Amino acid sequence: MARGGINKAVVHKARQAILGRGEHPSIDAVRIELGNTGSKTTIHRYLKELEIQKPPATTSVPDLSASLMGLVKQLAEQLREESDACVEEAQKSFDVENAALNAHLQECQQSLAAAQQQLQIQGAALAAESAELATARSSLQSEHTRNATLSQAVGELNVRLADKDEQIASLEDKHQHARDALEHYRTASREQREQDQRRHEAQVQQLQAELRQLQQTLIIKQDEVTRLNRDNERLLVEARHVQRECQHLKDQQEQHALETRTLSANLAQSQGAREELQRQFQSQGQQLELVGGERRQLLKQVELLEQTIEALRAAQQAAAEAEKAQEQK
């Protein structure tokens, strides 16, 4: 497209100047003559029209004067120039509209590419969310299975705990029977001692006083036996003390062997029975401590399992809420 001011008359003038110098009026030569202005396409079109155009025959219209012919030529030339200007202006408008359309097309293509890229990103995000949902569902199923396993384990531990409670109850019954036997023994021993004291109170007044002190000590110790779970160790210490007192009494009894031989034999028998009962109480106390330790361990395991179940329920609820939120999205 030619620039502003380039028209057919200008191209014709440049062509005539080149022909006047005896040179060939090529497109490049004409453009150089015009000062390197104008489109080669426009110059080529104007040159082609000038070559096709034939000079008017002056003899075909004898009645027209030369001035009139010049005016007609000028009008024809002006008409051509105006038509060329209109065509050039239309070409400019077309080029502007074409550039605008090309720019708009490029923007649309960019928008389409951006939309496709966004669609790909959303597709990838949807795939990732689907994978996360599948993972969450798998984890939820695993947690369901683990919850069922833990519930079964809790049931088994509850059964074991019930068995241990029954064992503890059985041991407590045995302990009660042993306390009853000890009470019966204390009654019998007290009666025997009273009989011995009535028989020998004239001869062994000092020994009776010591025996009464020993009886009081034994009664105190026997009362403490009923609290076996708390005072077993103290009972053993005091029992050893009683043994030492008994040994001391035996030493004194040797001085009165002729008078108190029967009483000494009864006391030795009572001491052996009391020691046997103490060993039974000690064994039962150890069994009670072992059973109590097992029961505490089972209770701790039950507490840990209950905490684990609570955590699993919380995780299950969170996974369910996440799945619900995902379905709502």
Side-chain angles (χ1 to χ4, degrees):
M1 184 177 63
R3 296 181 181 179
I6 302 302
N7 52 39
K8 188 175 181 180
V10 175
V11 173
H12 177 67
K13 184 177 180 181
R15 180 174 178 273
Q16 291 299 116
I18 293 171
L19 290 175
R21 292 196 300 267
E23 299 176 358
H24 178 67
S26 62
I27 297 174
D28 293 333
V30 173
R31 194 169 186 278
I32 292 172
E33 184 68 23
L34 294 174
N36 291 325
T37 59
S39 172
K40 291 184 178 182
T41 303
T42 304
I43 294 171
H44 176 68
R45 178 166 55 82
Y46 287 157
L47 289 175
K48 188 175 181 181
E49 291 177 358
L50 291 173
E51 289 177 357
I52 295 173
Q53 185 178 2
K54 295 180 180 180
T58 57
T59 60
S60 62
V61 187
D63 296 334
L64 294 177
S65 62
S67 61
L68 186 57
M69 289 297 294
L71 180 60
V72 171
K73 289 180 181 180
Q74 185 178 0
L75 291 174
E77 185 67 26
Q78 184 177 0
L79 181 60
R80 290 192 192 96
E81 290 178 357
E82 290 178 357
S83 62
D84 292 338
C86 291
V87 171
E88 187 174 352
E89 186 66 24
Q91 183 68 31
K92 289 181 180 180
S93 299
F94 173 75
D95 291 339
V96 172
E97 292 178 358
N98 189 21
L101 290 174
N102 288 330
H104 182 66
L105 178 61
Q106 186 176 3
E107 291 178 357
C108 291
Q109 290 176 351
Q110 292 177 354
S111 299
L112 179 61
Q116 290 177 350
Q117 184 178 4
Q118 184 67 23
L119 181 61
Q120 292 177 356
I121 294 173
Q122 291 179 354
L126 181 60
E129 290 180 357
S130 299
E132 291 179 357
L133 180 59
T135 304
R137 288 178 177 174
S138 178
S139 300
L140 182 61
Q141 184 65 29
S142 301
E143 294 299 335
H144 281 308
T145 305
R146 185 180 178 188
N147 190 11
T149 304
L150 291 176
S151 298
Q152 185 177 2
V154 169
E156 294 176 355
L157 287 175
N158 288 328
V159 173
R160 292 178 59 188
L161 185 61
D163 293 337
K164 293 298 180 182
D165 290 335
E166 291 178 358
Q167 293 179 4
I168 291 172
S170 177
L171 289 175
E172 289 178 351
D173 292 337
K174 292 180 180 179
H175 192 199
Q176 183 64 37
H177 292 319
R179 285 201 299 267
D180 294 339
L182 179 61
E183 184 66 26
H184 178 70
Y185 166 74
R186 286 188 304 179
T187 303
S189 178
R190 185 170 56 253
E191 291 175 355
Q192 183 66 33
R193 283 195 301 273
E194 289 176 354
Q195 291 176 1
D196 293 337
Q197 288 172 359
R198 284 193 301 269
R199 189 183 305 116
H200 301 287
E201 64 183 7
Q203 300 175 0
V204 288
Q205 293 180 356
Q206 184 177 359
L207 181 61
Q208 286 177 349
E210 294 178 355
L211 286 175
R212 282 193 298 271
Q213 184 179 0
L214 177 61
Q215 183 180 4
Q216 293 175 359
T217 304
L218 286 174
I219 291 173
I220 293 172
K221 300 307 178 185
Q222 288 167 357
D223 291 336
E224 291 177 353
V225 169
T226 58
R227 297 185 297 274
L228 182 62
N229 291 326
R230 299 192 302 269
D231 301 329
N232 280 335
E233 294 181 358
R234 187 175 61 189
L235 179 61
L236 291 175
V237 174
E238 292 179 356
R240 293 191 186 97
H241 180 67
V242 171
Q243 289 175 358
R244 287 194 297 270
E245 290 180 354
C246 289
Q247 186 63 37
H248 179 68
L249 290 175
K250 287 180 181 180
D251 293 337
Q252 291 181 358
Q253 287 174 357
E254 289 179 357
Q255 297 177 2
H256 306 281
L258 294 176
E259 295 83 3
T260 60
R261 182 174 299 173
T262 304
L263 181 60
S264 297
N266 292 330
L267 288 175
Q269 183 179 1
S270 300
Q271 182 65 25
R274 188 181 61 80
E275 291 178 353
E276 180 65 24
L277 286 175
Q278 287 179 352
R279 286 193 294 270
Q280 291 179 1
F281 282 136
Q282 184 177 4
S283 177
Q284 291 177 0
Q286 292 176 354
Q287 291 180 359
L288 285 174
E289 289 180 357
L290 291 175
V291 172
E294 292 180 358
R295 187 173 183 274
R296 287 192 295 272
Q297 291 179 358
L298 290 174
L299 289 174
K300 289 181 180 179
Q301 292 180 1
V302 169
E303 290 177 356
L304 291 175
L305 288 174
E306 289 176 352
Q307 293 176 0
T308 305
I309 290 173
E310 290 297 329
L312 290 175
R313 287 177 179 173
Q316 180 179 358
Q317 184 177 2
E321 292 177 355
E323 182 177 0
K324 184 177 180 182
Q326 185 66 30
E327 290 177 356
Q328 291 178 356
K329 290 182 179 179

